Amino acid sequence: MNAIKKNFLGVLLCTAISIPAWLLGKYYPLMGGPVFGILIGMLITLCFQLKESFQAGINFTSKKILQYAVILLGFGLNLSVIFSTGKQSLPIILSTISISLLLAYILHKAMNIPSKISILIGVGSSICGGSAVAATAPVIDADEQEVAQSISVIFLFNVLAALIFPTLGVCLGMSTEGFGLFAGTAINDTSSVTAAAAAWDGIHKGSNALEIATIVKLTRTLAIIPITLALAFFKTRQEKALNSQVKIKKIFPFFIIYFLLASVITTIFHLSPEITEPIKELSKFFIIMAMSAIGLHTHIVELIKKGGQPIFLGLCCWLGITAVSILMQFGLGLV
């Protein structure tokens, strides 16, 4: 009861921000609700000094509700459908994830970009944008500034991809299947994948690039599991080296196990869209709430000042993923 009383005001504020952000995300899917949530939260912080009574609930939302969002995301993944229809894209998915993570690591070392920013942008660019950042941030203890910075960078290149890729696909002579595979492997956020594939289908009447891109995108989402577990493993080793009394329970991302369990439940019991769609929508709303909380903890001026290196990192990851996706498709004869 004390926890509810302590967190109530902060959670209520994040919910109040999330409702218009969610609606705006519906009207402007290229931006998406999470970006609007961060922006509104940052504007409120810029204009008002929030009382201490809000802070506990904002912290709870940015951490715990973010984890609940990732768990609920698992109910949108039917593993049997993904494995049967998405396996063709697996070599390209593994290649694009590898190049993004490799570039993030190289630039982190070469340019002294903070490690957590590098991880979030590398993982977010290569897997599934905001959802991947949401899953990774608690594992590496990223702060609100780092999460906001990463989401902002990923959003920028999402928009560019959604606008440019349909024309690029036409110039490269891609088939509908080829473009669906390209959009699903080279664009990270679901809303931008959908926007690009829908634009392609609008140009080519009767095509089904949207369906193909969506399945490929869901296949990529599964990479959240091994990536976050690997990060947790390395973090555990670091913590043990510093402190022999470290408790694995505090470091290991158990919410990722629940995410996988949700996917298994959906697969075994063949949950219908009537059940999974509302859960997926709730997951998206929880992510918007968490991003709103992160916005409330983020100073927009500081975010802009520190933006140069992360944007360059995001650009390199984006170009690397795009190039590898195209080259792999031509190499495998899937264009």
Side-chain angles (χ1 to χ4, degrees):
M1 196 68 185
N2 285 336
I4 294 174
K5 187 178 178 180
K6 182 175 72 172
N7 295 326
F8 178 75
L9 285 177
V11 173
L12 184 64
L13 176 61
C14 294
T15 305
I17 295 171
S18 301
I19 293 171
W22 178 71
L23 292 172
L24 286 167
K26 293 289 184 183
Y27 281 110
Y28 304 101
L30 270 181
M31 285 190 69
V35 173
F36 281 114
I38 287 178
L39 290 175
I40 296 171
M42 287 193 296
L43 286 174
I44 290 174
T45 297
L46 193 64
C47 299
F48 303 100
Q49 183 68 40
L50 292 175
K51 294 180 179 179
E52 187 67 29
S53 54
F54 287 93
Q55 294 306 319
I58 293 171
N59 290 335
F60 176 82
T61 304
S62 67
K63 293 178 171 61
K64 289 297 182 182
I65 289 184
L66 186 59
Q67 294 180 14
Y68 301 154
V70 174
I71 294 168
L72 294 177
L73 192 67
F75 287 102
L77 299 175
N78 187 312
L79 301 178
S80 61
V81 173
I82 290 172
F83 288 143
S84 63
T85 57
K87 58 187 177 183
Q88 184 185 37
S89 63
L90 195 58
I92 301 175
I93 290 171
L94 293 176
S95 299
T96 53
I97 290 174
S98 298
I99 192 65
S100 180
L101 296 178
L102 181 61
L103 286 170
Y105 178 76
I106 290 171
L107 290 172
H108 155 63
K109 290 293 186 181
M111 299 177 63
N112 292 320
I113 300 173
S115 60
K116 292 178 183 179
I117 284 279
S118 300
I119 291 170
L120 291 177
I121 292 177
V123 171
S125 298
S126 61
I127 301 177
C128 55
S131 299
V133 172
T136 307
V139 176
I140 63 172
D141 285 334
D143 64 28
E144 287 80 4
Q145 292 272 358
E146 290 162 334
V147 173
Q149 192 86 68
S150 304
I151 292 285
S152 302
V153 168
I154 288 166
F155 155 70
L156 171 63
F157 295 107
N158 274 339
V159 173
L160 289 176
L163 294 174
I164 294 170
F165 280 12
T167 303
L168 178 61
V170 172
C171 293
L172 293 173
M174 288 183 172
S175 64
T176 292
E177 291 75 16
F179 184 78
L181 187 56
F182 176 49
T185 53
I187 306 175
N188 55 63
D189 189 75
T190 303
S191 59
S192 297
V193 171
T194 302
W200 176 274
D201 287 344
I203 298 169
H204 304 82
K205 300 299 182 183
S207 64
N208 63 335
L210 181 56
E211 181 182 346
I212 297 165
T214 301
I215 292 171
V216 173
K217 175 65 179 60
L218 290 175
T219 307
R220 277 173 74 193
T221 302
L222 288 177
I224 287 176
I225 299 168
I227 292 292
T228 50
L229 292 179
L231 288 170
F233 172 75
F234 285 117
K235 187 169 185 296
T236 302
R237 288 189 62 182
Q238 288 178 338
E239 293 286 342
K240 277 190 171 181
L242 295 171
N243 179 10
S244 60
Q245 300 299 315
V246 67
K247 295 181 179 180
I248 302 300
K249 187 177 179 180
K250 289 187 176 181
I251 298 174
F252 190 80
F254 284 97
F255 69 96
I256 293 296
I257 302 300
Y258 300 140
F259 164 83
L260 179 59
L261 182 61
S263 304
V264 171
I265 290 171
T266 300
T267 305
I268 292 175
F269 294 101
H270 303 288
L271 298 183
S272 66
E274 287 78 11
I275 296 173
T276 58
E277 285 303 319
I279 297 175
K280 284 162 62 179
E281 281 300 315
L282 181 60
S283 170
K284 292 175 184 176
F285 188 78
F286 277 0
I287 287 178
I288 296 171
M289 283 183 66
M291 294 304 116
S292 301
I294 285 166
L296 290 168
H297 274 151
T298 303
H299 198 282
I300 193 168
V301 176
E302 291 298 315
L303 194 68
I304 294 169
K305 283 181 181 177
K306 298 176 182 177
Q309 284 188 330
I311 289 173
F312 181 73
L313 173 59
L315 173 64
C316 291
C317 290
W318 181 59
L319 292 176
I321 289 168
T322 301
V324 167
S325 178
I326 292 170
L327 290 172
M328 286 288 292
Q329 283 194 69
F330 275 99
L332 296 171
L334 299 174
V335 176

